[in-house]
Amino acid sequence: MSAFIQQLPALIGVVVGALGSYLAVVRSDRARFRREQAARWEERRLGVYSDYARTLKRTITLVCRVAAHFGNDPHPHPLSPEEAAPLLAESTLARDPDGEALLLLGSPEVVEKARVWVTVVLEMEQFLRDGTRDPEAWRVLLERHRNGRDGYYAAVRDDLALPPGLAVRWQLPPARSS
């Protein structure tokens, strides 16, 4: 029995070491799983945020083309309301599921900024449905849209811990006269 008692501290050391190794591996695996899961959700949120912005941008492009038809916007490719109607309907149909995904996965701050942005887009659509011909009022709506978009992008960057980006306000060269 004395041989067993002499080896007992070594045996306890082996058991404690094995238990410590097991706990370290389990803890490390849990931490890795949480990091990987967080990265997957961030990728999904980025996809949802991008899809929503792309859908709104498509609508904006269409309304700017219709606004050009009414003389409100300098877009080089005017589109009549009749030609735009099916394209706008398609854009609206695409916006709904993208908006639902945003509500499901987006942070409260991003969802709020998206609400501000889409509200202006809806006002722009109504402006054109009314057949308004007022370039100054259109310019104000366009500026509000740009501010809404910038706020949305800033909230997305904050949510995903991305570096700050630039507010994209490209200055186009003046149109050449023929």
Side-chain angles (χ1 to χ4, degrees), residues 142-166:
L142 205 52
E143 187 62 27
R144 286 181 50 218
H145 142 69
R146 289 178 181 136
N147 291 335
R149 180 192 61 199
D150 290 349
Y152 175 77
Y153 287 163
V156 166
R157 286 187 194 100
D158 286 346
D159 183 43
L160 298 177
L162 298 173
L166 300 173

PDB file of all heavy atoms in Angstrom, residues 142-166:
ATOM      1  N   LEU A 142     -33.973  65.922 -52.514  1.00  0.00           N
ATOM      2  CA  LEU A 142     -32.757  65.199 -52.870  1.00  0.00           C
ATOM      3  C   LEU A 142     -31.685  65.369 -51.785  1.00  0.00           C
ATOM      4  O   LEU A 142     -30.990  64.405 -51.433  1.00  0.00           O
ATOM      5  CB  LEU A 142     -32.244  65.702 -54.221  1.00  0.00           C
ATOM      6  CG  LEU A 142     -31.387  64.777 -55.050  1.00  0.00           C
ATOM      7  CD1 LEU A 142     -32.035  63.427 -55.247  1.00  0.00           C
ATOM      8  CD2 LEU A 142     -31.075  65.415 -56.392  1.00  0.00           C
ATOM      9  N   GLU A 143     -31.592  66.548 -51.226  1.00  0.00           N
ATOM     10  CA  GLU A 143     -30.628  66.796 -50.145  1.00  0.00           C
ATOM     11  C   GLU A 143     -31.016  66.008 -48.895  1.00  0.00           C
ATOM     12  O   GLU A 143     -30.155  65.440 -48.219  1.00  0.00           O
ATOM     13  CB  GLU A 143     -30.553  68.296 -49.841  1.00  0.00           C
ATOM     14  CG  GLU A 143     -29.465  68.659 -48.846  1.00  0.00           C
ATOM     15  CD  GLU A 143     -28.058  68.316 -49.319  1.00  0.00           C
ATOM     16  OE1 GLU A 143     -27.799  68.278 -50.542  1.00  0.00           O
ATOM     17  OE2 GLU A 143     -27.205  68.059 -48.444  1.00  0.00           O
ATOM     18  N   ARG A 144     -32.303  65.971 -48.596  1.00  0.00           N
ATOM     19  CA  ARG A 144     -32.760  65.175 -47.447  1.00  0.00           C
ATOM     20  C   ARG A 144     -32.475  63.688 -47.667  1.00  0.00           C
ATOM     21  O   ARG A 144     -32.094  62.970 -46.736  1.00  0.00           O
ATOM     22  CB  ARG A 144     -34.251  65.399 -47.201  1.00  0.00           C
ATOM     23  CG  ARG A 144     -34.547  66.753 -46.586  1.00  0.00           C
ATOM     24  CD  ARG A 144     -36.024  66.979 -46.310  1.00  0.00           C
ATOM     25  NE  ARG A 144     -36.622  65.872 -45.588  1.00  0.00           N
ATOM     26  CZ  ARG A 144     -37.860  65.421 -45.817  1.00  0.00           C
ATOM     27  NH1 ARG A 144     -38.630  66.004 -46.719  1.00  0.00           N
ATOM     28  NH2 ARG A 144     -38.349  64.426 -45.122  1.00  0.00           N
ATOM     29  N   HIS A 145     -32.642  63.230 -48.901  1.00  0.00           N
ATOM     30  CA  HIS A 145     -32.312  61.838 -49.232  1.00  0.00           C
ATOM     31  C   HIS A 145     -30.833  61.578 -48.987  1.00  0.00           C
ATOM     32  O   HIS A 145     -30.460  60.579 -48.380  1.00  0.00           O
ATOM     33  CB  HIS A 145     -32.690  61.536 -50.681  1.00  0.00           C
ATOM     34  CG  HIS A 145     -31.714  60.638 -51.384  1.00  0.00           C
ATOM     35  ND1 HIS A 145     -31.549  59.309 -51.063  1.00  0.00           N
ATOM     36  CD2 HIS A 145     -30.820  60.899 -52.363  1.00  0.00           C
ATOM     37  CE1 HIS A 145     -30.602  58.792 -51.835  1.00  0.00           C
ATOM     38  NE2 HIS A 145     -30.152  59.740 -52.632  1.00  0.00           N
ATOM     39  N   ARG A 146     -29.986  62.483 -49.439  1.00  0.00           N
ATOM     40  CA  ARG A 146     -28.541  62.298 -49.256  1.00  0.00           C
ATOM     41  C   ARG A 146     -28.173  62.271 -47.777  1.00  0.00           C
ATOM     42  O   ARG A 146     -27.346  61.466 -47.352  1.00  0.00           O
ATOM     43  CB  ARG A 146     -27.781  63.396 -49.992  1.00  0.00           C
ATOM     44  CG  ARG A 146     -27.839  63.241 -51.486  1.00  0.00           C
ATOM     45  CD  ARG A 146     -27.111  64.363 -52.203  1.00  0.00           C
ATOM     46  NE  ARG A 146     -27.202  64.182 -53.638  1.00  0.00           N
ATOM     47  CZ  ARG A 146     -27.472  65.157 -54.490  1.00  0.00           C
ATOM     48  NH1 ARG A 146     -27.654  66.395 -54.056  1.00  0.00           N
ATOM     49  NH2 ARG A 146     -27.550  64.907 -55.778  1.00  0.00           N
ATOM     50  N   ASN A 147     -28.779  63.153 -46.996  1.00  0.00           N
ATOM     51  CA  ASN A 147     -28.522  63.159 -45.556  1.00  0.00           C
ATOM     52  C   ASN A 147     -29.016  61.867 -44.911  1.00  0.00           C
ATOM     53  O   ASN A 147     -28.359  61.321 -44.023  1.00  0.00           O
ATOM     54  CB  ASN A 147     -29.171  64.374 -44.891  1.00  0.00           C
ATOM     55  CG  ASN A 147     -28.490  65.663 -45.285  1.00  0.00           C
ATOM     56  OD1 ASN A 147     -27.319  65.688 -45.656  1.00  0.00           O
ATOM     57  ND2 ASN A 147     -29.234  66.758 -45.234  1.00  0.00           N
ATOM     58  N   GLY A 148     -30.174  61.377 -45.339  1.00  0.00           N
ATOM     59  CA  GLY A 148     -30.695  60.113 -44.827  1.00  0.00           C
ATOM     60  C   GLY A 148     -29.786  58.952 -45.167  1.00  0.00           C
ATOM     61  O   GLY A 148     -29.516  58.087 -44.328  1.00  0.00           O
ATOM     62  N   ARG A 149     -29.310  58.944 -46.408  1.00  0.00           N
ATOM     63  CA  ARG A 149     -28.373  57.892 -46.825  1.00  0.00           C
ATOM     64  C   ARG A 149     -27.084  57.962 -46.021  1.00  0.00           C
ATOM     65  O   ARG A 149     -26.594  56.936 -45.529  1.00  0.00           O
ATOM     66  CB  ARG A 149     -28.072  58.040 -48.319  1.00  0.00           C
ATOM     67  CG  ARG A 149     -27.104  56.973 -48.838  1.00  0.00           C
ATOM     68  CD  ARG A 149     -26.591  57.312 -50.213  1.00  0.00           C
ATOM     69  NE  ARG A 149     -25.873  58.569 -50.160  1.00  0.00           N
ATOM     70  CZ  ARG A 149     -25.598  59.330 -51.205  1.00  0.00           C
ATOM     71  NH1 ARG A 149     -25.995  58.983 -52.394  1.00  0.00           N
ATOM     72  NH2 ARG A 149     -24.923  60.445 -51.075  1.00  0.00           N
ATOM     73  N   ASP A 150     -26.541  59.149 -45.847  1.00  0.00           N
ATOM     74  CA  ASP A 150     -25.309  59.302 -45.074  1.00  0.00           C
ATOM     75  C   ASP A 150     -25.502  58.838 -43.633  1.00  0.00           C
ATOM     76  O   ASP A 150     -24.633  58.179 -43.059  1.00  0.00           O
ATOM     77  CB  ASP A 150     -24.832  60.759 -45.094  1.00  0.00           C
ATOM     78  CG  ASP A 150     -24.322  61.203 -46.458  1.00  0.00           C
ATOM     79  OD1 ASP A 150     -24.131  60.329 -47.338  1.00  0.00           O
ATOM     80  OD2 ASP A 150     -24.137  62.414 -46.650  1.00  0.00           O
ATOM     81  N   GLY A 151     -26.657  59.170 -43.040  1.00  0.00           N
ATOM     82  CA  GLY A 151     -26.938  58.724 -41.677  1.00  0.00           C
ATOM     83  C   GLY A 151     -27.045  57.217 -41.588  1.00  0.00           C
ATOM     84  O   GLY A 151     -26.561  56.599 -40.628  1.00  0.00           O
ATOM     85  N   TYR A 152     -27.676  56.614 -42.588  1.00  0.00           N
ATOM     86  CA  TYR A 152     -27.800  55.149 -42.631  1.00  0.00           C
ATOM     87  C   TYR A 152     -26.419  54.507 -42.723  1.00  0.00           C
ATOM     88  O   TYR A 152     -26.097  53.593 -41.961  1.00  0.00           O
ATOM     89  CB  TYR A 152     -28.673  54.748 -43.824  1.00  0.00           C
ATOM     90  CG  TYR A 152     -28.782  53.256 -44.035  1.00  0.00           C
ATOM     91  CD1 TYR A 152     -29.605  52.483 -43.234  1.00  0.00           C
ATOM     92  CD2 TYR A 152     -28.063  52.631 -45.057  1.00  0.00           C
ATOM     93  CE1 TYR A 152     -29.708  51.117 -43.432  1.00  0.00           C
ATOM     94  CE2 TYR A 152     -28.168  51.265 -45.259  1.00  0.00           C
ATOM     95  CZ  TYR A 152     -28.991  50.512 -44.448  1.00  0.00           C
ATOM     96  OH  TYR A 152     -29.083  49.161 -44.649  1.00  0.00           O
ATOM     97  N   TYR A 153     -25.598  54.985 -43.647  1.00  0.00           N
ATOM     98  CA  TYR A 153     -24.264  54.405 -43.810  1.00  0.00           C
ATOM     99  C   TYR A 153     -23.417  54.582 -42.551  1.00  0.00           C
ATOM    100  O   TYR A 153     -22.677  53.681 -42.164  1.00  0.00           O
ATOM    101  CB  TYR A 153     -23.545  55.018 -45.008  1.00  0.00           C
ATOM    102  CG  TYR A 153     -24.086  54.565 -46.352  1.00  0.00           C
ATOM    103  CD1 TYR A 153     -23.804  55.269 -47.507  1.00  0.00           C
ATOM    104  CD2 TYR A 153     -24.878  53.440 -46.478  1.00  0.00           C
ATOM    105  CE1 TYR A 153     -24.288  54.868 -48.744  1.00  0.00           C
ATOM    106  CE2 TYR A 153     -25.371  53.031 -47.702  1.00  0.00           C
ATOM    107  CZ  TYR A 153     -25.067  53.746 -48.828  1.00  0.00           C
ATOM    108  OH  TYR A 153     -25.543  53.339 -50.046  1.00  0.00           O
ATOM    109  N   ALA A 154     -23.535  55.731 -41.892  1.00  0.00           N
ATOM    110  CA  ALA A 154     -22.773  55.951 -40.658  1.00  0.00           C
ATOM    111  C   ALA A 154     -23.232  54.974 -39.569  1.00  0.00           C
ATOM    112  O   ALA A 154     -22.403  54.416 -38.835  1.00  0.00           O
ATOM    113  CB  ALA A 154     -22.932  57.392 -40.185  1.00  0.00           C
ATOM    114  N   ALA A 155     -24.546  54.743 -39.462  1.00  0.00           N
ATOM    115  CA  ALA A 155     -25.055  53.802 -38.461  1.00  0.00           C
ATOM    116  C   ALA A 155     -24.601  52.376 -38.773  1.00  0.00           C
ATOM    117  O   ALA A 155     -24.255  51.613 -37.858  1.00  0.00           O
ATOM    118  CB  ALA A 155     -26.579  53.872 -38.396  1.00  0.00           C
ATOM    119  N   VAL A 156     -24.571  52.011 -40.050  1.00  0.00           N
ATOM    120  CA  VAL A 156     -24.089  50.680 -40.443  1.00  0.00           C
ATOM    121  C   VAL A 156     -22.618  50.520 -40.064  1.00  0.00           C
ATOM    122  O   VAL A 156     -22.215  49.502 -39.489  1.00  0.00           O
ATOM    123  CB  VAL A 156     -24.300  50.443 -41.958  1.00  0.00           C
ATOM    124  CG1 VAL A 156     -23.513  49.230 -42.445  1.00  0.00           C
ATOM    125  CG2 VAL A 156     -25.777  50.279 -42.264  1.00  0.00           C
ATOM    126  N   ARG A 157     -21.827  51.542 -40.368  1.00  0.00           N
ATOM    127  CA  ARG A 157     -20.395  51.465 -40.026  1.00  0.00           C
ATOM    128  C   ARG A 157     -20.199  51.342 -38.519  1.00  0.00           C
ATOM    129  O   ARG A 157     -19.354  50.575 -38.064  1.00  0.00           O
ATOM    130  CB  ARG A 157     -19.665  52.697 -40.559  1.00  0.00           C
ATOM    131  CG  ARG A 157     -19.473  52.670 -42.044  1.00  0.00           C
ATOM    132  CD  ARG A 157     -18.586  53.834 -42.497  1.00  0.00           C
ATOM    133  NE  ARG A 157     -18.674  53.974 -43.916  1.00  0.00           N
ATOM    134  CZ  ARG A 157     -19.435  54.877 -44.541  1.00  0.00           C
ATOM    135  NH1 ARG A 157     -20.134  55.746 -43.863  1.00  0.00           N
ATOM    136  NH2 ARG A 157     -19.458  54.927 -45.845  1.00  0.00           N
ATOM    137  N   ASP A 158     -20.966  52.091 -37.745  1.00  0.00           N
ATOM    138  CA  ASP A 158     -20.868  51.998 -36.287  1.00  0.00           C
ATOM    139  C   ASP A 158     -21.262  50.601 -35.810  1.00  0.00           C
ATOM    140  O   ASP A 158     -20.603  50.025 -34.956  1.00  0.00           O
ATOM    141  CB  ASP A 158     -21.759  53.034 -35.604  1.00  0.00           C
ATOM    142  CG  ASP A 158     -21.203  54.441 -35.702  1.00  0.00           C
ATOM    143  OD1 ASP A 158     -20.018  54.597 -36.051  1.00  0.00           O
ATOM    144  OD2 ASP A 158     -21.971  55.386 -35.432  1.00  0.00           O
ATOM    145  N   ASP A 159     -22.354  50.073 -36.359  1.00  0.00           N
ATOM    146  CA  ASP A 159     -22.836  48.762 -35.925  1.00  0.00           C
ATOM    147  C   ASP A 159     -21.838  47.660 -36.230  1.00  0.00           C
ATOM    148  O   ASP A 159     -21.648  46.750 -35.429  1.00  0.00           O
ATOM    149  CB  ASP A 159     -24.178  48.447 -36.600  1.00  0.00           C
ATOM    150  CG  ASP A 159     -24.758  47.131 -36.115  1.00  0.00           C
ATOM    151  OD1 ASP A 159     -24.708  46.866 -34.897  1.00  0.00           O
ATOM    152  OD2 ASP A 159     -25.282  46.370 -36.945  1.00  0.00           O
ATOM    153  N   LEU A 160     -21.187  47.740 -37.372  1.00  0.00           N
ATOM    154  CA  LEU A 160     -20.250  46.689 -37.778  1.00  0.00           C
ATOM    155  C   LEU A 160     -18.809  47.023 -37.413  1.00  0.00           C
ATOM    156  O   LEU A 160     -17.899  46.287 -37.793  1.00  0.00           O
ATOM    157  CB  LEU A 160     -20.368  46.442 -39.286  1.00  0.00           C
ATOM    158  CG  LEU A 160     -21.738  45.955 -39.752  1.00  0.00           C
ATOM    159  CD1 LEU A 160     -21.768  45.822 -41.264  1.00  0.00           C
ATOM    160  CD2 LEU A 160     -22.118  44.644 -39.081  1.00  0.00           C
ATOM    161  N   ALA A 161     -18.614  48.117 -36.692  1.00  0.00           N
ATOM    162  CA  ALA A 161     -17.280  48.553 -36.265  1.00  0.00           C
ATOM    163  C   ALA A 161     -16.343  48.709 -37.467  1.00  0.00           C
ATOM    164  O   ALA A 161     -15.182  48.305 -37.436  1.00  0.00           O
ATOM    165  CB  ALA A 161     -16.694  47.595 -35.231  1.00  0.00           C
ATOM    166  N   LEU A 162     -16.871  49.300 -38.525  1.00  0.00           N
ATOM    167  CA  LEU A 162     -16.071  49.582 -39.716  1.00  0.00           C
ATOM    168  C   LEU A 162     -15.446  50.964 -39.563  1.00  0.00           C
ATOM    169  O   LEU A 162     -15.970  51.814 -38.852  1.00  0.00           O
ATOM    170  CB  LEU A 162     -16.954  49.553 -40.964  1.00  0.00           C
ATOM    171  CG  LEU A 162     -17.639  48.223 -41.269  1.00  0.00           C
ATOM    172  CD1 LEU A 162     -18.612  48.398 -42.420  1.00  0.00           C
ATOM    173  CD2 LEU A 162     -16.618  47.146 -41.579  1.00  0.00           C
ATOM    174  N   PRO A 163     -14.350  51.200 -40.255  1.00  0.00           N
ATOM    175  CA  PRO A 163     -13.763  52.536 -40.181  1.00  0.00           C
ATOM    176  C   PRO A 163     -14.714  53.554 -40.806  1.00  0.00           C
ATOM    177  O   PRO A 163     -15.518  53.206 -41.664  1.00  0.00           O
ATOM    178  CB  PRO A 163     -12.465  52.414 -40.991  1.00  0.00           C
ATOM    179  CG  PRO A 163     -12.637  51.207 -41.829  1.00  0.00           C
ATOM    180  CD  PRO A 163     -13.599  50.302 -41.121  1.00  0.00           C
ATOM    181  N   PRO A 164     -14.620  54.792 -40.370  1.00  0.00           N
ATOM    182  CA  PRO A 164     -15.515  55.805 -40.948  1.00  0.00           C
ATOM    183  C   PRO A 164     -15.267  55.950 -42.439  1.00  0.00           C
ATOM    184  O   PRO A 164     -14.136  55.845 -42.903  1.00  0.00           O
ATOM    185  CB  PRO A 164     -15.166  57.081 -40.190  1.00  0.00           C
ATOM    186  CG  PRO A 164     -13.866  56.832 -39.530  1.00  0.00           C
ATOM    187  CD  PRO A 164     -13.686  55.349 -39.409  1.00  0.00           C
ATOM    188  N   GLY A 165     -16.331  56.152 -43.160  1.00  0.00           N
ATOM    189  CA  GLY A 165     -16.212  56.319 -44.602  1.00  0.00           C
ATOM    190  C   GLY A 165     -16.424  57.772 -44.973  1.00  0.00           C
ATOM    191  O   GLY A 165     -16.596  58.642 -44.125  1.00  0.00           O
ATOM    192  N   LEU A 166     -16.420  58.002 -46.243  1.00  0.00           N
ATOM    193  CA  LEU A 166     -16.629  59.357 -46.754  1.00  0.00           C
ATOM    194  C   LEU A 166     -18.083  59.526 -47.129  1.00  0.00           C
ATOM    195  O   LEU A 166     -18.723  58.603 -47.606  1.00  0.00           O
ATOM    196  CB  LEU A 166     -15.768  59.569 -48.002  1.00  0.00           C
ATOM    197  CG  LEU A 166     -14.268  59.421 -47.806  1.00  0.00           C
ATOM    198  CD1 LEU A 166     -13.573  59.483 -49.154  1.00  0.00           C
ATOM    199  CD2 LEU A 166     -13.753  60.510 -46.904  1.00  0.00           C
TER     200      LEU A 166
END
